[in-house]
Amino acid sequence: MPADLLLTNAVVYTLDPARPWASTLAVSGGKITSLEDTGPATEVLDLGGAFVMPGLVDVHNHHALAGRAELFELTFGAGADLPDILAAVRARAASLGPEEWLTGGAWASTLVSRLSSADARRALDDAAGGRPVSLSDDSRHNRWVSTRALELAGITAATPDPPGGVIVRDGGEPSGLLLEAAGVPVERLAGDLTPAQHRRASKRAIEILHGFGVTAFQDAGVSTDILAALRSLDLDGELDAWVVSSLLVNDPIFGVDPVGAPLLEVAQQYRTEHHRPDFVKIFLDGVPPTRTAAFLEPYLPDETHGACFHGTTTMSPDELTEWLLKAADAGLSAKVHCTGDASVRQFLDAVAQVRAAGFAATRFQVAHGQFVHPDDLPRFAALGVAADISPFLWVPGVIPSAIADVLPPSRAARMQPNRTLLDTGALVAGGSDWPVSESPNAWEGIAGLVTREDPHGRRPGALWPEQAITLAEAIEVFTLGGARACGLDDVTGALTPGRSADFVVLDRNPFRTAQVWDTRVAETWFAGRRVFRR
């Protein structure tokens, strides 16, 4: 069958070790085909020497949350200070009804101490005109809420801290700062969207991803609402991306229902051609800035936790192993959120038991893994565990600064051991964690992997520069590495015959520029169709 399309006069970086570079690319029936299959009916597109490479694979994002924020919520950057946030709330509140929820984010982790007072909550009440407000932090794990939101959620001075959460108090009363699971009652009240809105949120997020060259992604925690939106889009021919969903086993932050076994029982009814609900998602700990990540060595001392606090995991080792075995037996792989080195070790220990039980093909991912004990680094390759690493966590910035407030300098500076992971044979996959990252721009993450510096120059210095990797390695992390980690390498990740014709045309050759971070996507193609043009 002759090719439908032939791209010529291009610099094609294929990610195929047998043929890494080419000048032409042929497409037939939405897939890459061999050049020998071209014919007189083939459309020829001269790219004028442009650089072409596989579509990017984002192994960790929350696309629906990002789409919801874009369409329906108040948004402000992590650089916003408290007066900026209050001004934004005041402006947004003016357009809302007296009892209408105001939701949004994301405030910087470095503001935790300032938001831990009742005075700050009262300032929020004043800005919102007494309305219920819930604003997420930059990790999306924690919330700052108004007095009316506390009242509607039934959170009072007498309310005990829930399992896995902390109601931060000021003089005994709730300050308005809710950590981890403490924010779930508020989220359940504030986060409702209609099915049509969920569909719009997913569609808009994928449009944004196309603008950054992403043609495949793994959503790191889904509800049935998100699953239904993806199914609806694909059945209507509007899902122009490969999507892998991660089914929530536990939910310390989103407030969705169902999770765990009931969600696993219904998930497969949402499977479609381009959507694979193939993973479970487990939150094994929280995040370091609020001392909810689990570490082998203690945090810096503070008045609340003392000098010997290590943080805790959400599950016992036996419970974690039981869930991984249950998922593997159901044919599901697992993505496990681990931000402290103790949670990473507990997960690796559990994977060792699952492998010993005979599940050799099950995919496992450590999500984030900012901190890994040196003894555990070789275990990733030995156990077949992929490292899901996220931008803005390996360069100087807001979140590393917040982490430096709670960990000794010698430990806070040793984040994201990416060079060692690759050198020990681990599969490393890139994920934006958008909207935790302010955008899903992989090129900023790729530049950070190579330089370990803030690509925008806003923060000086480099974070553990010895862990830098090469540009070729970084590009693979965000293409074929991601595809392998989430099980899409049968269809995407490289430009080889038989794979989907998912590729991007760039405004420059990243191997020949000093400004990799500023690389722009000129065109994005999915399954042989152009889905974005700048």
Side-chain angles (χ1 to χ4, degrees), residues 74-146:
L74 172 66
T75 59
F76 47 85
D81 203 351
L82 183 54
D84 302 321
I85 296 170
L86 294 174
V89 167
R90 191 178 305 277
R92 181 61 171 260
S95 66
L96 301 178
E99 280 293 305
E100 193 171 350
W101 278 89
L102 192 161
T103 60
W107 49 269
S109 299
T110 49
L111 291 177
V112 165
S113 60
R114 292 188 66 185
L115 304 185
S116 297
S117 72
D119 286 343
R121 188 194 73 235
R122 285 188 279 269
L124 179 61
D125 295 340
D126 179 69
R131 293 171 178 81
V133 180
S134 177
L135 302 176
S136 297
D137 73 336
D138 51 16
S139 75
R140 295 308 199 275
H141 279 239
N142 309 296
R143 289 162 185 81
W144 182 42
V145 307
S146 66

Side-chain angles (χ1 to χ4, degrees), residues 20-47:
W21 296 96
S23 59
T24 55
L25 193 68
V27 177
S28 180
K31 295 182 179 182
I32 304 297
T33 189
S34 66
L35 296 177
E36 289 74 18
D37 291 332
T38 58
T42 301
E43 178 187 358
V44 179
L45 184 60
D46 186 327
L47 291 182

Side-chain angles (χ1 to χ4, degrees), residues 255-526:
V256 301
D257 184 50
V259 297
L263 179 58
L264 270 59
E265 289 171 4
V266 301
Q268 296 311 311
Q269 72 189 47
Y270 299 99
R271 181 181 296 275
T272 58
E273 179 184 1
H274 298 112
H275 173 224
R276 304 179 181 186
D278 283 351
F279 275 69
V280 300
K281 169 67 177 293
I282 296 172
F283 287 94
L284 194 53
D285 65 356
V287 291
T290 52
R291 301 175 188 254
T292 52
F295 283 95
L296 297 168
E297 299 295 327
Y299 287 92
L300 289 171
D302 73 343
E303 292 183 5
T304 302
H305 302 91
C308 299
F309 184 69
H310 296 246
T312 58
T313 56
T314 63
M315 295 183 181
S316 69
D318 287 346
E319 185 181 5
L320 174 63
T321 303
E322 182 181 351
W323 266 113
L324 296 184
L325 286 168
K326 185 181 297 185
D329 192 52
L332 297 170
S333 297
K335 179 191 288 287
V336 178
H337 170 109
C338 307
T339 61
D341 55 7
S343 58
V344 171
R345 178 167 292 179
Q346 181 175 321
F347 177 44
L348 293 173
D349 289 346
V351 171
Q353 295 187 58
V354 177
R355 296 295 190 215
F359 294 99
T362 304
R363 289 178 171 85
F364 293 106
Q365 301 172 8
V366 167
H368 308 305
Q370 291 109 303
F371 297 95
V372 184
H373 191 280
D375 292 348
D376 290 322
L377 287 166
R379 301 179 70 197
F380 280 74
L383 292 169
V385 175
D388 154 10
I389 59 176
S390 298
F392 306 112
L393 299 181
W394 51 69
V395 299
V398 173
I399 291 177
S401 294
I403 292 174
D405 290 338
V406 299
L407 292 180
S410 60
R411 289 165 55 203
R414 297 177 71 81
M415 292 176 57
Q416 293 287 347
N418 305 324
R419 175 76 270 155
T420 304
L421 285 166
L422 286 173
D423 288 346
T424 53
L427 174 60
V428 178
S432 66
D433 204 8
W434 182 52
V436 174
S437 295
E438 291 186 28
S439 90
N441 185 356
W443 289 103
E444 295 179 358
I446 287 168
L449 283 170
V450 174
T451 67
R452 308 284 297 198
E453 299 172 355
D454 177 3
H456 299 286
R458 295 168 297 197
R459 302 274 179 144
L463 186 62
W464 204 3
E466 294 82 2
Q467 292 296 327
I469 67 176
T470 69
L471 178 58
E473 289 170 329
I475 289 175
E476 183 166 342
V477 161
F478 274 95
T479 52
L480 191 54
R484 287 171 172 159
C486 62
L488 289 173
D489 52 316
D490 61 324
V491 291
T492 196
L495 299 177
T496 58
R499 279 189 168 99
S500 183
D502 309 333
F503 57 89
V504 293
V505 182
L506 303 181
D507 71 344
R508 71 196 69 190
N509 183 333
F511 291 98
R512 295 184 177 180
T513 179
Q515 294 182 306
V516 171
W517 66 271
D518 199 32
T519 298
R520 294 288 185 268
V521 174
E523 299 181 12
T524 301
W525 292 66
F526 174 74

Side-chain angles (χ1 to χ4, degrees), residues 66-229:
R68 183 176 78 179
E70 167 88 4
L71 295 174
F72 307 118
E73 297 186 341
L74 172 66
T75 59
F76 47 85
D81 203 351
L82 183 54
D84 302 321
I85 296 170
L86 294 174
V89 167
R90 191 178 305 277
R92 181 61 171 260
S95 66
L96 301 178
E99 280 293 305
E100 193 171 350
W101 278 89
L102 192 161
T103 60
W107 49 269
S109 299
T110 49
L111 291 177
V112 165
S113 60
R114 292 188 66 185
L115 304 185
S116 297
S117 72
D119 286 343
R121 188 194 73 235
R122 285 188 279 269
L124 179 61
D125 295 340
D126 179 69
R131 293 171 178 81
V133 180
S134 177
L135 302 176
S136 297
D137 73 336
D138 51 16
S139 75
R140 295 308 199 275
H141 279 239
N142 309 296
R143 289 162 185 81
W144 182 42
V145 307
S146 66
T147 299
R148 183 58 177 152
L150 291 171
E151 292 171 352
L152 291 173
I155 299 173
T156 69
T159 304
D161 289 347
V166 176
I167 302 169
V168 178
R169 302 169 197 269
D170 181 7
E173 65 174 305
S175 67
L177 189 61
L178 305 175
L179 307 184
E180 301 287 341
V184 167
V186 171
E187 187 65 20
R188 286 177 175 158
L189 293 171
D192 285 345
L193 296 181
T194 67
Q197 287 174 321
H198 277 290
R199 193 181 190 281
R200 284 180 60 200
S202 283
K203 186 174 178 61
R204 177 59 184 143
I206 293 168
E207 290 171 353
I208 294 171
L209 289 167
H210 286 158
F212 291 103
V214 175
T215 56
F217 64 90
Q218 182 172 355
D219 191 296
V222 299
S223 62
T224 51
D225 295 316
I226 298 171
L227 292 170

